[in-house]
Amino acid sequence: MKRIGILTSGGDCAGLNAAVRSIFYRAKDKYEMDVFGIIEGTVGLMNRPVSYTKLDYNTFSGNLLRQGGTFLGTTNKGNPFKFPMSDGSFKDRTVEIISGYHELGLDGLIVIGGDGSMKILKTIADKGGLNIVAIPKTIDNDVGATENSIGFNTAVNVATNALDNLQFTAASHNRTMILEVMGRDAGHIALNAGIAGGADVILIPEIGYSIDGIVEKLKKMNNHGIKHSLIIVAEAVKQEDGKNSTVKFADGEERLGGIGTYIAHQIMQKSSAECRVTTLGHVQRGAPPTTQDRILASAFGVHAVDLLAQKKFDRMVAWSDRKVVDFPIEKGIETYRKVELEDSLVKTALALGIYLGDIS
Ligand code: F6P
C-alpha cells in the first residue's frame, strides 16, 4: 500500500477537511504512503488527465482543520452509471472512474460519503477491482450502522444557534417563529436542535402531526401567559395531504423545501398567532466544524487508513459505543437510520412538554 487516494462525495458538510487531514497524517507518518486528493469526487477520476492534488504537510499547515466544506470539492449530481453529458445524452462512466484509479497507480481509495455515494463506489470497486474503505459523512445522520456521521453535530449546532437567536425576536414581537431545517427523510437535526434550543413544537417526518395539535399547544402556552413560541420543522415533514413540499430549480433539480411556510400559513388560518419562517438551508453544511465533528473526523480518518494498510477492504468505519469500529460497507448502509419512536430523545422531548405530533 504505497499510493492512496481520497475523495469526498455527495453533499459537503463540516468536518470533511479534518478527515482528509487525519488520513494524510496517518498515511504519511505511520505507513509512508503517498496521498492523492481527488478533485470533485468521482468526476475527478473521470477527467483526463485525472484531476488530483498530491497532499503534503504544507497542505494542512493553514486553517483546513477549522474550515467547513471540502477543499477537494465534491458532487451530489450525476450518477456515474447514467451520467448526464453536455449533448443531453446519458453515459455509463464507471469504466473511466476505474481506469482513472489505475492511471493514478492507486493501491487504495478512501471514500468519504453518505449512503448513496458508498453504494455507488462499492459497486464500481467490485466491477474494477478497486480497494476501497468508506467514511460516513452527512448532516442527516441517516447512515444505518453509525451512531454519528461527520457533519451532523455541526448542523445541529447551527440549528440550535438559530433557535437561540429566534427566541429573542419571537419574544420581542409575541410571534411564533418557525425554523425549517434539513435532514432529508430523517428528523435527527430537528429533534436534537429542538430539544437543545428550547423549541415548543418539533415536527419530524417519522411522526405524524396535525395543525389542530400545534394550535392547541400554542393556546395552552397562551393560557400560561406565554405569547411567543418556537417551532422547528424538518424539511421532509409532509403537508396534511401527505405531499412533500419541494422546490424545483431552473436546472430541473428538485429538493425538499417549503414546509415551514406551509405550516405557518396553516397555523395563521386557524389561530391568531403571527408566524414568521426562517429556512436555514446550507448554513447547516458550510459552518466551521464543531469540536465533536473534528474529533470524529480525525478518529475516522486514522481508522480508515489502518484498514487500508491491513488490506481490510470494502469496509466502512463507524462510531459505536464510544469507539471507532468497522463493518462491511453493505452492512453499514443496509438500513436507513431514522428517528425511532423508542429513542430516548423522543421520550425526552415529550417529557419536556414539546408537541411532537401524534404520539404521547
Ligand atoms: O443530504 C444532505 C442534504 O443537505 C440534505 O439534508 C438536503 O435535503 C440536501 O442535501 C440538499 O441538497 P443540495 O445541496 O443539492 O441542495
Side-chain angles (χ1 to χ4, degrees), residues 109-352:
L109 178 67
I110 296 181
V111 174
I112 312 176
D115 54 355
S117 302
M118 286 191 251
K119 194 167 175 203
I120 288 172
L121 265 301
K122 170 75 172 78
T123 309
I124 297 173
D126 287 348
K127 181 173 168 187
L130 277 47
N131 300 325
I132 64 164
V133 164
I135 295 179
K137 65 86 221 170
T138 164
I139 64 165
D140 309 330
N141 209 25
D142 55 4
V143 175
T146 188
E147 286 164 16
N148 286 305
S149 57
I150 298 172
F152 172 62
N153 185 260
T154 304
V156 171
N157 205 40
V158 170
T160 304
N161 287 339
L163 286 175
D164 288 350
N165 293 348
L166 288 171
Q167 161 69 31
F168 297 115
T169 175
S172 306
H173 284 268
N174 287 333
R175 279 177 171 162
T176 294
M177 291 296 183
I178 300 176
L179 178 68
E180 179 180 318
V181 295
M182 286 183 164
R184 227 177 21 145
D185 294 320
H188 300 293
I189 298 176
L191 182 58
N192 282 264
I195 291 172
D200 305 295
V201 173
I202 301 176
L203 302 178
I204 58 175
E206 293 88 343
I207 301 176
Y209 70 96
S210 67
I211 297 296
D212 288 342
I214 301 172
V215 168
E216 188 58 28
K217 166 72 184 171
L218 301 185
K219 266 196 199 139
K220 265 192 207 156
M221 292 173 65
N222 223 358
N223 292 342
H224 289 128
I226 305 166
K227 298 189 186 318
H228 66 278
S229 50
L230 297 176
I231 296 179
I232 187 165
V233 54
E235 62 182 359
V237 165
K238 293 198 168 27
Q239 299 169 12
E240 282 195 301
D241 62 5
K243 290 193 183 129
N244 273 130
S245 297
T246 58
V247 183
K248 199 161 189 171
F249 297 101
D251 61 1
E253 290 284 326
E254 193 167 6
R255 292 289 182 268
L256 292 164
I259 187 65
T261 305
Y262 168 85
I263 299 279
H265 190 75
Q266 299 302 315
I267 292 175
M268 287 176 81
Q269 286 203 332
K270 290 195 166 180
S271 74
S272 58
E274 189 186 10
C275 298
R276 290 291 184 272
V277 182
T278 302
T279 304
L280 209 44
H282 293 77
V283 294
Q284 293 158 98
R285 299 216 313 233
T290 56
T291 308
Q292 193 173 316
D293 268 330
R294 295 179 202 191
I295 293 168
L296 185 71
S298 302
F300 277 174
V302 168
H303 195 79
V305 174
D306 288 348
L307 287 172
L308 273 188
Q310 294 157 24
K311 299 197 169 23
K312 291 187 180 163
F313 306 131
D314 296 328
R315 300 194 69 81
M316 181 194 100
V317 304
W319 189 256
S320 172
D321 205 12
R322 297 194 290 159
K323 284 194 293 290
V324 184
V325 295
D326 53 87
F327 297 98
I329 292 176
E330 299 94 324
K331 191 167 164 24
I333 59 175
E334 83 185 346
T335 54
Y336 184 77
R337 206 170 89 82
K338 291 186 165 212
V339 172
E340 303 288 339
L341 299 190
E342 311 75 49
D343 279 359
S344 297
L345 292 189
V346 170
K347 184 178 162 189
T348 306
L350 291 172
L352 290 170

Side-chain angles (χ1 to χ4, degrees), residues 60-123:
F60 302 101
S61 62
N63 273 327
L64 277 179
L65 172 68
R66 295 163 238 289
Q67 277 178 24
T70 164
F71 78 101
L72 294 177
T74 184
T75 177
N76 66 351
K77 291 199 287 192
N79 177 348
F81 300 96
K82 214 179 159 198
F83 195 85
M85 306 300 286
S86 49
D87 64 1
S89 66
F90 292 93
K91 189 179 167 198
D92 181 346
R93 303 198 62 183
T94 54
V95 173
E96 291 157 82
I97 293 172
I98 293 165
S99 64
Y101 170 98
H102 293 300
E103 268 179 40
L104 251 187
L106 297 180
D107 302 308
L109 178 67
I110 296 181
V111 174
I112 312 176
D115 54 355
S117 302
M118 286 191 251
K119 194 167 175 203
I120 288 172
L121 265 301
K122 170 75 172 78
T123 309

